Amino acid sequence: MKKITWLLLLVLLTATIHLPAQRKADRKTLENLQAHITYLASDKLEGRRTGSPGEELAAGYIAGQMKQAGLAPKGDNGYLQTFTVWEGRETGEASQLTINDASFAAGEQFVPLPFSAEKPAKGDVLPAVKEPDNIWLIDVQDMELNPHAPATDKYLEKAKEAAENHASGVIFFNGKEDIGAVRQWLREKPAPLSIPAVWVNRDVSRKLDGDNASGFRISMQVAFQQGKRTGTNVIGYIDNGAPNTIILGAHYDHLGYGEDHNSLAKGEKAIHNGADDNASGTAALLELGRMLKNGRFKNNNFILAAFSGEELGLFGSKYFTAHAPVDLERVNFMINMDMVGRLDAAKGLQVGGIGTSPSWTPLLRESAEDMQMHFDSSGVGPSDHTSFYRQQIPVLFLFTGTHADYHKPTDDADKINYDGELSVIKLVYRLIEKANKQDKLMFLPTKETQVSSARFTVTLGIMPDYTYSKGGVRVDGISDGKPAQKAGLAAGDVIMQLGKQPVSNLETYMQALAAFKKGDKTTVTVQRGTQQQTFNIQF
């Protein structure tokens, strides 16, 4: 009896000592989370757009925190791993537009249209007079634009008409589009016309539309160049001399001022601070790195990877898997934390990828404690874990849900549920603790979910390669039982045409898809290697 009493006293004493220590550790983590997110989501970083000075500041901060935690650098240049984001065509530096004695900025005040010829034109132009062998001025307000068709269709029609009537060039003015939208048109790759064609902004339009304009001496030159920018992953490493490695990841890039047209806000451009998306996941990554470096889990090595380019289409994580600093065949599993800062206890945590290994369900049940979770088996989705699933690595995707501030300037640090994020971090830590006692997890392929949109009533059933920019849409994966699989499409095919609609990029692919309804039959033309093949499909 005395022995039992002493044992109970020892247990109680141990618990009494442990609880204050745990509370102290939790307070430290909460303070760090607030510091990380407050900085990463500050206006100083201007939304952390990939390739921007704000992204560079964020990468420097993350690398500094990894170094302070004792993580070893595992990038190409210290902690940093740089990659190129190819963005199709953009206005070339040789492009010029001069009206009388005023010169205008290429890409800012005027933009070549995607079907323009790369050549010069000049002339003395009278308003409203369209002469052969001279530049035509076309007032967009006089054009009947179809709201249900791409605006470029009407622009192309009018430019063709000008070329057929021997115009030497064409300038479109008074267009209602903003300059950013017109720049996006350059991602299309229609056949070029025989004459140069440009769109001009409001400032230039006012000059061309002036009541006192008697004539213009115009000189124009159109040139294109390949658009690109440099993104940066930040990679830290904990080397335990183990045979396998666990990868923890989170993207740290966001939308900047919304220049890439992925903002859901309306009105004037503003900084999108991205506190939840995804300063929250990045902060969790940094704290887990610190905890694991000081922890006792030695049966695996650990990579902590902060990805950029996620908002543009998983560029950073896809580059990482193609240029991995460790052997991917020795990767145990990957956990992706994307938007983990708005946990609602009643709604719970969303966990994707549990079907990618038979070990996930029991591990999550053992680690959950009192956290409510909702599961999805698919290993793919609109975040960086998809890049690792494609390499046959078990993945988990942790997400606390969307909200009214998603992809808006209002996603700020003061709206983060820091206690909720701490509970997500603890879940990941417990999960690693239990997985650390097991052998390398077995990979299982899953049935892939298709990202849907209210615009579509049908799906082809492909996972597009968001990083492909050479014309068409390259297939990165095929969903089981969907029209693409039934028709015989395969990963690596490049979709060039859907029905009668040519496909030059994701935007034109979605436009083509939106024209069909369930039961419709059509064809899809793909480039497979050096050959084009056409398949019959039914939605």
Side-chain angles (χ1 to χ4, degrees):
M1 186 68 179
K2 288 182 179 180
K3 187 176 182 181
I4 294 173
T5 302
W6 279 110
L7 285 172
L8 287 172
L9 286 171
L10 181 62
V11 170
L12 289 171
L13 182 61
T14 303
T16 304
I17 295 171
H18 174 73
L19 287 174
Q22 185 59 53
R23 284 196 293 267
K24 183 178 180 181
D26 288 351
R27 284 197 300 271
K28 174 66 174 175
T29 302
L30 286 169
E31 290 171 3
N32 289 348
L33 287 175
Q34 292 176 23
H36 298 326
I37 294 174
T38 298
Y39 177 76
L40 291 170
S42 66
D43 285 353
K44 180 180 180 180
L45 272 63
E46 297 185 293
R48 310 185 307 277
R49 180 175 179 254
T50 299
S52 70
E55 183 221 38
E56 184 178 350
L57 287 174
Y61 176 84
I62 295 165
Q65 291 297 312
M66 289 182 174
K67 182 177 181 180
Q68 184 176 320
L71 276 61
K74 203 66 172 175
D76 302 324
N77 178 19
Y79 294 92
L80 308 182
Q81 180 190 59
T82 56
F83 58 91
T84 299
V85 177
W86 295 99
E87 300 182 290
R89 294 186 301 171
E90 62 182 26
T91 305
E93 294 179 0
S95 293
Q96 297 178 352
L97 176 63
T98 302
I99 300 176
N100 296 335
D101 295 324
S103 295
F104 299 96
E108 298 296 332
Q109 293 177 296
F110 74 95
V111 178
L113 290 165
F115 44 77
S116 174
E118 294 189 79
K119 61 193 300 186
K122 61 174 59 178
D124 294 320
V125 183
L126 296 173
V129 177
K130 296 179 172 59
E131 300 176 307
D133 301 318
N134 206 350
I135 295 170
W136 285 21
L137 304 179
I138 298 181
D139 190 339
V140 179
Q141 292 180 348
D142 296 335
M143 292 164 45
E144 296 181 4
L145 297 176
N146 182 351
H148 303 294
T152 48
D153 286 358
K154 196 67 177 180
Y155 280 87
L156 176 58
E157 177 186 324
K158 289 295 183 179
K160 281 183 175 178
E161 179 182 321
E164 290 168 357
N165 284 277
H166 307 290
S168 61
V170 60
I171 297 175
F172 291 90
F173 66 99
N174 283 337
K176 294 183 179 180
E177 306 86 1
D178 63 62
I179 194 94
V182 180
R183 288 196 200 104
Q184 294 295 310
W185 292 351
L186 293 181
R187 296 185 178 184
E188 302 176 16
K189 294 184 179 179
L193 299 179
S194 59
I195 60 174
V198 302
W199 175 98
V200 298
N201 73 351
R202 292 176 184 174
D203 293 337
V204 186
S205 295
R206 280 194 289 267
K207 187 175 184 67
L208 294 175
D209 204 23
D211 292 335
N212 60 350
S214 57
F216 306 102
R217 187 172 65 257
I218 298 177
S219 175
M220 58 190 292
Q221 167 75 53
V222 168
F224 295 111
Q225 64 189 31
Q226 182 73 23
K228 66 178 181 178
R229 52 180 136 147
T230 299
T232 304
N233 296 328
V234 189
I235 310 167
Y237 186 54
I238 301 173
D239 187 358
N240 290 323
N244 299 317
T245 299
I246 292 170
I247 297 178
L248 303 181
H251 79 89
Y252 72 95
D253 63 303
H254 196 53
L255 310 188
Y257 288 87
E259 302 97 320
D260 296 312
H261 299 277
N262 40 14
S263 171
L264 297 180
K266 296 181 179 179
E268 295 183 4
K269 72 175 186 178
I271 297 174
H272 291 60
N273 287 318
D276 188 27
D277 185 12
N278 185 36
S280 66
T282 306
L285 181 76
L286 292 173
E287 287 307 289
L288 281 163
R290 180 180 62 83
M291 294 162 66
L292 290 168
K293 178 61 179 178
N294 297 326
R296 59 188 184 279
F297 311 141
K298 306 299 183 183
N299 291 339
N300 289 274
N301 309 311
F302 295 96
I303 276 187
L304 289 298
F307 304 113
S308 189
E310 190 271 355
E311 298 288 4
L312 300 175
L314 316 187
F315 276 91
S317 57
K318 191 153 190 178
Y319 185 88
F320 178 99
T321 56
H323 304 83
V326 295
D327 182 0
L328 291 183
E329 292 186 1
R330 304 307 304 172
V331 171
N332 193 341
F333 56 83
M334 188 269 182
I335 297 179
N336 178 31
M337 297 168 288
D338 192 350
M339 295 176 62
V340 292
R342 298 283 192 100
L343 184 67
D344 183 329
K347 295 181 180 178
L349 178 70
Q350 298 181 34
V351 183
I354 68 163
T356 62
S357 175
S359 300
W360 282 137
T361 298
L363 283 171
L364 285 162
R365 285 175 179 167
E366 293 172 15
S367 307
E369 293 189 350
D370 58 350
M371 181 180 288
Q372 183 176 342
M373 290 185 280
H374 303 281
F375 299 126
D376 177 19
S377 64
S378 178
V380 300
S383 192
D384 291 308
H385 58 286
T386 300
S387 301
F388 293 85
Y389 172 79
R390 295 286 180 216
Q391 302 298 322
Q392 300 187 338
I393 294 171
V395 297
L396 282 184
F397 171 45
L398 306 185
F399 174 57
T400 56
T402 57
H403 43 74
D405 301 306
Y406 173 70
H407 276 204
K408 295 179 181 177
T410 50
D411 182 9
D412 290 322
D414 59 358
K415 297 179 180 178
I416 296 296
N417 175 1
Y418 290 98
D419 289 319
E421 180 159 350
L422 174 61
S423 66
V424 175
I425 290 173
K426 286 184 170 182
L427 168 69
V428 176
Y429 193 79
R430 290 193 299 269
L431 193 65
I432 292 172
E433 179 180 25
K434 298 182 185 306
N436 191 63
K437 300 174 184 177
Q438 299 187 5
D439 294 332
K440 184 172 180 285
L441 270 59
M442 178 189 297
F443 171 79
L444 290 177
T446 65
K447 183 177 181 180
E448 299 181 9
T449 55
Q450 184 80 14
V451 179
S452 63
S453 167
R455 291 176 56 195
F456 309 123
T457 59
V458 296
T459 176
L460 190 58
I462 68 160
M463 185 68 177
D465 181 352
Y466 293 101
T467 67
Y468 186 73
S469 61
K470 297 180 180 179
V473 172
R474 185 162 64 187
V475 178
D476 210 9
I478 303 283
S479 297
D480 291 336
K482 299 295 183 180
Q485 185 194 51
K486 293 177 180 178
L489 271 69
D493 287 346
V494 179
I495 298 174
M496 306 303 296
Q497 185 166 325
L498 183 59
K500 295 181 180 180
Q501 173 72 47
V503 173
S504 58
N505 53 27
L506 275 171
E507 184 178 353
T508 55
Y509 168 71
M510 291 188 289
Q511 291 167 356
L513 197 62
F516 297 99
K517 60 183 183 299
K518 188 174 181 180
D520 284 351
K521 296 180 180 180
T522 189
T523 59
V524 57
T525 299
V526 305
Q527 186 75 32
R528 180 175 291 179
T530 58
Q531 297 183 333
Q532 278 201 354
Q533 299 185 29
T534 299
F535 299 87
N536 296 314
I537 61 170
Q538 180 173 6
F539 293 105

